[in-house]
Amino acid sequence: MTSMTPGSVVFKNVRKNFGSFTAIHDLSLTIEPGTLVTLLGPSGCGKTTTLRMLAGLEHPTSGRIFIGGKDVTMLPAHERDVSMVFQSYALFPHMNALENVAYGLESSGFSKREAKERAEDGLEQVGLANMGHRLPAELSGGQQQRVAVARALVLEPQVLLLDEPLSNLDARLRRKVRTEIRELQQRLGFTAVYVTHDQDEALAVSDRIVVMKDGEIAQAGTPQCLYDEPVSAFIADFMGEANVVACNVIEHVGDQAVIDVGGLEHRLPSRQSKVGQAKLAVRPGSVVLDPDANSGLGGEILTSAYLGDHVEYEVETPVGNFFVIDHTVERSLSPKTAVSLGFRNRGLALIEG
Amino acid sequence: MQRGNKRLDYLLIMGLLSFLALPWYRVEGGFFAFEWLSGFLSSSDLVPGILQIFAEGRGWLALALALFLLGAGGRLIDDPDKRGKLLVVAGSLGILYMTFQGLAISFNGWAWTIMDTSFGSLQMGQPAMGAGAILLSLVFVLFIAFGFAERGVMKGDAFVVGSISVLVFLVTVFIFYPIGSMFVGSVQDFDGSFKPDGFIENMQDPSIWSLNCVVGAGRCGVAWRTLFLALLSGAGSTLLGLAFALVATRTNFPFKKGLRLLTVLPIITPPFVIGLALTLLFGRAGVVTEGLHFLFGIEPSRWLYGLTGIWIAQVLSFTPIAFLVLIGVVEGVSPSMEEASQTLRADRWRTFWKVSLPLMKPGLANAFLIGFIESMADFGNPLVLGGSHGVLSTEIFFAVVGSQVDPSRAAVLAIVLLSFTLTAFLAQRLWLSGKNFATVTGKGDSGAHAGLPKSLSISVYGIVVPWMMFTVIVYGMIIFGGFVKTWGLDHSLTLEHYARAFSVSFENGALAWTGVAWNSFWTTMEIALISAPLTAAVGLLTAYIIVRQKFAGKSAFEFALMMSFAIPGTVIGISYIMAFNLPPIEMTGSALILVACFVFRNMPVGVRGGIAAMSQIDKSLDEASLTLKANSARTLRKVILPLLRPAITAALVYSFVRAITSISAVIFLVSAEYNMATSYIVGLVENGEYGIAIAYSSMLIVVMITVITCFQLLVGDRRLRRENRCPASPRHVNFV
Ligand SMILES: Nc1ncnc2c1ncn2[C@@H]1O[C@H](COP(=O)(O)OP(=O)(O)O)[C@@H](O)[C@H]1O
Ligand SMILES: [Mg+2]
């Protein structure tokens, strides 16, 4: 498992209908070899469908799909050079771990012995060297998951597909396994397409994130780019919470824009904004509350909740309510307190519409 | 396109073989006797297709060859789209042409006069299709399948497209073609010309349709009598089945295990055996009749022979089936519903009446319709007990083998019978669609079922206990009857019947099967053992396709298959002899026709079982296998089949047992050479040889129990040391 040749993935104007329902509208997407790309989005947005089309388990209604430069649109699943880790793992319950891992190798025409050796190797890679004789039912959830990964990886596919691989693990294990997967991907250098609906997970493992909404790409980019420069309220809110409020772009100075939010002036990267009415996304942690000052944007605390390492507030202002996370826990403000709001330099973005 | 080439190469080799290496036409005396090898290149009946064209002057076959070569030309095309199109076109034209020439050209030239007038008469005709012609037809079908696969249909999976095509082809040939032939036959004269007189006359025959029993004096027509009987049998078996189901699930009845055993009985009991046992009890010379005469001086009468007797026999026969269906239904009513009702201040009676019973309604309808259809299709009991008061299925039989052979009348009666059962089947489908509340959620419902209200549980016991005793007595008679010298006359015990049926002796150092039953017994075993695995294979493959694949026309496909279950055996029997005793396909008198009949009659049950079992195997397992480079054939073999073992056992056992016990279709299809046990027994009954008949029947029951046990051990169980996440057997049994 050291000689993987990662492949690229290209979707060209792919559309997928289920009967009269369109699950994927017009998907065009390029994935560079050797990167881990996450498909992120709320449930039902078409992530699994996209992944299954890549695996050959669904065929697109129109458009073309390329893997490693080769057009695979019409190729059945078993003739594609990809393999998949299923959400439910889909380990064959009547075969032990080793047989499960060897299965794909035997299907690909390896001799029984070679398949067994490679399978043992694969199990070792995921740290299950002496668990080969166990049936899936005799393994813990985390171990099953690793068998599923090993089973997919031993085929040395150009692309590894993972459909919500952590969703059946408990919260504590999730953090550990996602690190392991990322570590494995970087060590072996394969291309991976990773589906999840959890933005934390996506931020933690990805080279690039593709956020989907209603069968379309809402935004694609590096984790940092998506977090810092969301193009829409949907992205801003989906990639960590955000307050979206109306603002007024007063002028552009260089690549900065000067905005006015209910009387508070602020400077931030202008991006594609135009002078005039605009929308501003503000991370809850980027709002500074000052109970003493009496300038800029004034507001009143509606609710407050003390959560140990931070305090959460809901603040009513003339431009709308703000959800604020404040780390100065030694100063807890009670409801009805009048405050004035200010913004930090990071965590604000001008967004479309 | 590496893979596509390889499979196409195999197909082309098959096609070549069909022209070069196999006798084109049917071989008298059977293909598998291989006697044709000696005259293969010389005898004009046996030569392969290529010689039929060029040496024997059957020039019309050249077009089939041309179409084959057209398809073969696809091998040279690389573009999958174009190649696929060519294959589909060549295959479709090929199969159409094969059908056309088979139907249009018979023994002595054109089969239809219209062809004579428009094309001129043909110098020579042709016998029925043989190995070569059949193989070529199959090649054409696979041309179509591979063509579609190349074009990406079913995700380009040639195995799946191929299976679907072959299944559709087989179902067409073995179900739709015979039924169609029967319709055509009903308006044809002996020489094949169109003559609807017989059809019209029979359709209006008062002995079928008369309503005299209602509006005048005398008897009603056989159609109405059959309908009436079926309604009563359906109602009777449903009520009894419900009573049994309630006792088994809602009371503390001590013999629940015994009750469950009851469900196995109808499967292993040849259908006429109940009728036979009733004769021994209540017939003119029956024990009870004699006893009553002796004790109270009641004169023996013939009350048993007629609808009453048939009704009792049918209720006895079908109650276990209704029980099997209803036990799932009764258990399927979620206990939490009943508990909710009770917390809402409803007493047990109200809970049963207002909650449990309405929830069971679809199940009850289902059970009723099963009883109805079974009664309509029942042939054995009416034959034994009907006397002169026949029902449709026996009338059909007598129209074929009776004193006046009247195929047109048989066809008309069969059509009437078929309309009744198909109507019932459609009614069931409509009634059940969207009404299945009593389903298992999969999430374990905790809680206990409500007990029955007192008065209800007393009446349920009142029905179940006597009926159970009655059943035990009836089956006791079956065993006991084989050891009694002559019923009604001499009740001394004897082994004579068994000896006559099953004696063996050593002659000249070799074992000689001297008993009269051996011949039909071995034939039965042979045919049952051949057809069981075929039935299971076809059934499970179909189930796989229905559950796991999506394709246009799938629901029609499924519907047609399930519908074939509602075709009474008698109808199948009559349609098979009408369809398969003339070219293009001639099979009457062979073992093949029996095997085909069993496979296609019993397949729906295999399908049903397969569907139930396969729906419980997570689909992601197949998908995982596909992404692990296994094609769908390998997936089926390595992943699905091992997980389906219980369903395989069930399908094998069921089809084996049905092949042994069924009579209705078989009785039309047996021949001197291939006689089956059941038709032999019926022959014995007709000659009044009850002793041997009973002895033979009990022997069959014993053999079936033995074989079932062996099957079970052979196939083994799934090797999964785990808690089955879903219950292994579906609790909700939908029979028909
Ligand atoms: N086989 C199918 N038939 C019909 N609709 C489907 C099918 N598979 C998915 N869909 C629909 O397509 C949409 C996208 O589904 P999916 O890709 O599974 O979403 P997710 O992003 O949660 O993985 C959903 O609305 C779903 O209902
Ligand atoms: Mg999903």
Side-chain angles (χ1 to χ4, degrees), chain B residues 40-101:
Chain B
F40 181 46
L41 292 177
S42 50
S43 163
S44 83
D45 283 349
L46 301 180
V47 299
I50 196 85
L51 290 184
Q52 294 288 3
I53 302 174
F54 296 110
E56 302 293 330
R58 292 193 165 102
W60 61 87
L61 298 180
L63 190 51
L65 179 59
L67 287 171
F68 169 68
L69 293 176
L70 176 69
R75 179 68 174 80
L76 306 173
I77 303 176
D78 266 341
D79 176 36
D81 235 29
K82 284 193 188 128
R83 175 199 276 206
K85 200 175 273 174
L86 181 71
L87 284 174
V88 171
V89 168
S92 315
L93 289 177
I95 196 72
L96 282 178
Y97 183 67
M98 288 302 283
T99 315
F100 165 76
Q101 60 89 26

Side-chain angles (χ1 to χ4, degrees), chain A residues 43-44 46-49 87 163-164 195:
Chain A
S43 171
K47 311 175 295 281
T48 300
T49 306
Q87 186 167 5
D163 189 2
E164 311 219 4
V195 164

Side-chain angles (χ1 to χ4, degrees), chain A residues 305-342:
Chain A
Y306 173 76
L307 291 170
D309 69 335
H310 67 269
V311 188
E312 293 181 359
Y313 297 105
E314 196 172 349
V315 186
E316 190 179 20
T317 76
V319 291
N321 287 6
F322 277 81
F323 171 65
V324 179
I325 292 178
D326 188 0
H327 285 274
T328 48
V329 285
E330 58 283 356
R331 178 203 68 182
S332 179
L333 301 169
S334 49
K336 298 247 165 75
T337 313
V339 290
S340 71
L341 287 78

Side-chain angles (χ1 to χ4, degrees), chain B residues 142-157:
Chain B
L142 289 175
F143 268 171
I144 304 179
F146 289 179
F148 277 128
E150 301 261 348
R151 292 173 61 85
V153 173
M154 306 298 303
K155 302 177 186 142
D157 195 324

